[in-house]
Amino acid sequence: MGEGAGFQLGTVGALSLSVVSSVSIVICNKALMSTLGFKFATTLTSWHLLVTFCSLHVALWLKLFEHKPFERKVVMGFGILNGISIGLLNLSLGFNSVGFYQMTKLAIIPCTVFLETAFFAKRFSRSVQSSLSILLLGVGIATVTDLQLNMLGSILSLLAIVTTCVAQIMTNTIQKKFKVSSTQLLYQSSPYQALTLFISGPFLDGLLTNQNVFAFNYTPQVLIFIVLSCLISVSVNFSTFLVIGKTSPVTYQVLGHLKTCLVLAFGYVLLHDPFSWRNIFGILVAIVGMVLYSYFCVIEGQQKAREASAQMLQEKENDSDPLLRAEVGGGVNSDGAAPTAQVWSSNKDLRA
C-alpha cells in the first residue's frame, strides 16, 4: 500500500512539475520572441539542452544521483533522434500555418497509439480511446484555425510526427529495459541532443527567419530572458523524461494538450490575447476528455493491481500448500512421520 501510494505521489509530482515548468517557459519564450524579437527557436533549444547537461553534471559532482552508463550506441541514437524531432517540429511550424501545425501536434497521440499497438502489443481499451477522441476534438476546436496545405510542409509534419512518437516511445522503453532513471537517461542523451541542434540550429533558424543568430543585437534584457529560459528548461527537460518514464508516451501527450489549454488561458488572462467562445468551448471539451482519460487510466490501473495481487496471493497459497510441499520435500517430515498422513489430514480441499 505504501509503495503504491508513493508511486502515485511521485507521478502526481512529475505531472505537476511538467505543467508548471512548461507553462512558465512558454510565457518566457513568448516574451523573448514576440516582444524582444529573438525568434531563433532551434538554437535556443540547443542552449537549453547544453545548460541542462551542465546542471546535471554539477548534480552528479554533488552526488545527487548516480551515473549509470549503458549502451553508447543506444544513447547516441536516442539523443540524435530527439534532436532531429525538435528540429522537424520547428520546421513544420515554419513551413505550415499555425492551424496545420496544431493538427500535427494532435496527430502525435493516434500515431503513438498505433505504434505501441502494432510493435509493442499494447492494448488501449475503448473507454481510453473514446476519452482520447474527446480530448483531441476539444483541443482541435480550441486551437485549430486555418488549414493551409503545401507539399513540403506536409512532408515535414509527417516526419516530425513519426520521429517525435518514436523518440517518446524510446524514452519509456529505454528507462524500463536498462533500468535507468529519467535523470540518468537525460544526463547521457542531452549532449547528443544539444550537439545535433547546435550544429543545425543556426542554419534552420536562418532558413525560417532570414536572420543570423550570431548577428542579433543581444541587449541586457534579451540576455536576462535567455538565461531565465535556459534555467526553466532544466525543469522542463527533466520533467519530460520523468513523466514518460513514470507513465507512458500517450499520457505525456495528453498532458501536453492540457498545457496548451493552460497557455491559451494564461495568454488571455495575463497577456490579453484574443479569445473567443470557440476557444472556451474547445478548452472545456478538452478538459472533459482529460478527466475521462485520467479516470479510466486510474480504474484500469487499479484493476491490473488487483489482478497482480490476486495472482501473487495464489502463488503464495500454492507455495504453502502442504501437498505441494510434501511432493517437493519428498520422504520424511521433521517429526519423522510419514508425509502422506500429515498431508491428508490438513488438506483443505478434502475438508471442503
Side-chain angles (χ1 to χ4, degrees), residues 139-159:
V139 177
I141 294 173
T143 61
V144 176
T145 52
D146 56 323
L147 289 177
Q148 300 173 8
L149 301 178
N150 64 82
M151 181 60 70
L152 178 59
S154 299
I155 294 174
L156 290 172
S157 293
L158 179 61
L159 293 174

Side-chain angles (χ1 to χ4, degrees), residues 160-211:
I161 291 169
V162 173
T163 53
T164 300
C165 291
V166 173
Q168 291 179 359
I169 292 174
M170 283 183 66
T171 302
N172 185 271
T173 304
I174 289 174
Q175 290 190 48
K176 288 178 169 56
K177 179 179 179 180
F178 295 100
K179 293 181 173 57
V180 294
S181 67
S182 55
T183 309
Q184 292 167 332
L185 179 58
L186 180 59
Y187 174 70
Q188 295 184 67
S189 63
S190 55
Y192 299 106
Q193 295 182 59
L195 183 62
T196 302
L197 293 176
F198 189 77
I199 293 173
S200 61
F203 170 74
L204 295 179
D205 289 332
L207 184 65
L208 296 174
T209 64
N210 293 321
Q211 298 181 44

Side-chain angles (χ1 to χ4, degrees), residues 35-244:
T35 306
L36 301 176
F38 186 87
K39 300 181 179 181
F40 310 103
T42 308
T43 303
L44 181 62
T45 305
S46 70
W47 297 345
H48 287 171
L49 290 163
L50 183 60
V51 171
T52 298
F53 172 73
C54 293
S55 301
L56 290 176
H57 193 70
V58 172
L60 180 63
W61 180 67
L62 295 174
K63 297 182 179 179
L64 297 179
F65 72 97
E66 181 182 355
H67 179 45
K68 186 179 180 181
F70 56 99
E71 295 182 20
R72 182 175 294 275
K73 290 183 179 179
V74 174
V75 178
M76 184 181 300
F78 172 71
I80 293 174
L81 180 63
N82 261 299
I84 291 173
S85 70
I86 294 171
L88 286 171
L89 282 171
N90 288 338
L91 283 174
S92 174
L93 178 59
F95 283 92
N96 291 300
S97 63
V98 175
F100 191 80
Y101 174 72
Q102 291 295 340
M103 287 296 296
T104 298
K105 292 175 66 177
L106 290 177
I108 292 175
I109 284 184
C111 181
T112 303
V113 171
F114 170 76
L115 291 176
E116 289 197 309
T117 302
F119 296 101
F120 294 91
K122 186 172 182 179
R123 294 291 177 261
F124 296 86
S125 66
R126 292 189 179 275
S127 300
V128 169
Q129 293 177 16
S130 300
S131 62
L132 288 174
S133 300
I134 295 173
L135 165 68
L136 295 177
L137 175 63
V139 177
I141 294 173
T143 61
V144 176
T145 52
D146 56 323
L147 289 177
Q148 300 173 8
L149 301 178
N150 64 82
M151 181 60 70
L152 178 59
S154 299
I155 294 174
L156 290 172
S157 293
L158 179 61
L159 293 174
I161 291 169
V162 173
T163 53
T164 300
C165 291
V166 173
Q168 291 179 359
I169 292 174
M170 283 183 66
T171 302
N172 185 271
T173 304
I174 289 174
Q175 290 190 48
K176 288 178 169 56
K177 179 179 179 180
F178 295 100
K179 293 181 173 57
V180 294
S181 67
S182 55
T183 309
Q184 292 167 332
L185 179 58
L186 180 59
Y187 174 70
Q188 295 184 67
S189 63
S190 55
Y192 299 106
Q193 295 182 59
L195 183 62
T196 302
L197 293 176
F198 189 77
I199 293 173
S200 61
F203 170 74
L204 295 179
D205 289 332
L207 184 65
L208 296 174
T209 64
N210 293 321
Q211 298 181 44
N212 187 350
V213 62
F214 301 109
F216 187 79
N217 182 24
Y218 290 90
T219 63
Q221 191 175 10
V222 170
L223 291 175
I224 289 174
F225 272 91
I226 289 176
V227 171
L228 181 61
S229 178
C230 289
L231 292 177
I232 299 175
S233 72
V234 177
S235 177
V236 173
N237 292 325
F238 173 72
S239 62
T240 297
F241 282 64
L242 192 62
V243 167
I244 297 176

Side-chain angles (χ1 to χ4, degrees), residues 138 142 261 264-265 275 278-288 290:
C261 294
L264 287 174
F275 217 67
R278 173 181 171 176
N279 299 126
I280 297 174
F281 176 70
I283 289 176
L284 292 176
V285 173
I287 290 175
V288 171
M290 281 180 273

